Amino acid sequence: MRSLLSLELIAGITFGIWRSWNRKLLFGWFWFLIALAPTMNIYPIANPIAERYLYFPLVGGVLAISECFRLVSERWSVHFPKFTIYIGILVLCTFSIMTSRRNLDWKNSGSLWLQATKVSPMSSRALNGLGIFYMEEKDPLRAILTFKKALAIN
């Protein structure tokens, strides 16, 4: 159901951008879609955690979003430089806060795998990583229980 809604949303945005025929917006959106295609799992890839591949499509997304901001500022007669500076500061602060919070998860492998199992408790890969961490910490009982849980899922 969610996959179908996602496809409908992407198709709707693509159709709307195509109809507007704004070349900059069209270029950014298609850059985003084409660069995102390898990670869409249309054809299963060997690496299931491919979030690092999303930086390249982000360039197209930023191009499309910046063009949207420009169009909004033209339509509503907003003073563009002031508007973009405020939005840029807001985005920068938001990303900075999110990054600093996320860095706490990467303190050590234990905190990373614990956070991964909180976010995705049915992930056998995260449970396997947590089990390896418990083995390294000389906690065989927790390691065995975690590995058994991972095997039950997988």
Side-chain angles (χ1 to χ4, degrees):
M1 182 67 176
R2 272 194 258 167
S3 298
L4 188 60
L5 288 174
S6 297
L7 286 174
E8 288 175 0
L9 179 67
I10 289 172
I13 291 172
T14 304
F15 182 70
I17 291 172
W18 187 269
R19 279 191 34 220
S20 74
W21 202 249
N22 181 321
R23 292 179 63 180
K24 291 177 187 174
L25 191 59
L26 201 60
F27 177 77
W29 181 249
F30 279 113
W31 176 312
F32 176 75
L33 287 181
I34 290 169
L36 190 67
T39 60
M40 285 181 164
N41 242 0
I42 297 167
Y43 179 80
I45 55 178
N47 189 0
I49 300 175
E51 62 188 24
R52 67 182 172 278
Y53 301 130
L54 298 179
Y55 291 113
F56 190 62
L58 190 62
V59 173
V62 168
L63 288 171
I65 289 170
S66 64
E67 181 62 16
C68 287
F69 279 135
R70 191 187 67 75
L71 292 171
V72 165
S73 69
E74 278 181 4
R75 181 174 225 175
W76 291 341
S77 301
V78 177
H79 187 49
F80 187 65
K82 236 185 216 183
F83 177 70
T84 54
I85 288 171
Y86 293 142
I87 294 296
I89 290 171
L90 179 69
V91 168
L92 183 64
C93 289
T94 303
F95 280 152
S96 297
I97 291 168
M98 289 171 60
T99 300
S100 65
R101 287 183 59 209
R102 193 72 177 121
N103 283 340
L104 297 174
D105 297 339
W106 288 84
K107 185 171 39 178
N108 59 31
S109 62
S111 63
L112 175 66
W113 292 117
L114 278 171
Q115 183 62 28
T117 55
K118 284 180 189 173
V119 171
S120 194
M122 297 304 288
S123 168
S124 60
R125 187 176 187 153
L127 288 167
N128 189 39
L130 187 59
I132 291 170
F133 171 74
Y134 287 145
M135 278 179 44
E136 290 170 353
E137 292 294 311
K138 310 287 189 243
D139 191 354
L141 183 60
R142 282 175 121 178
I144 290 170
L145 290 173
T146 308
F147 286 134
K148 282 184 178 179
K149 191 173 178 183
L151 286 171
I153 292 170
N154 203 9

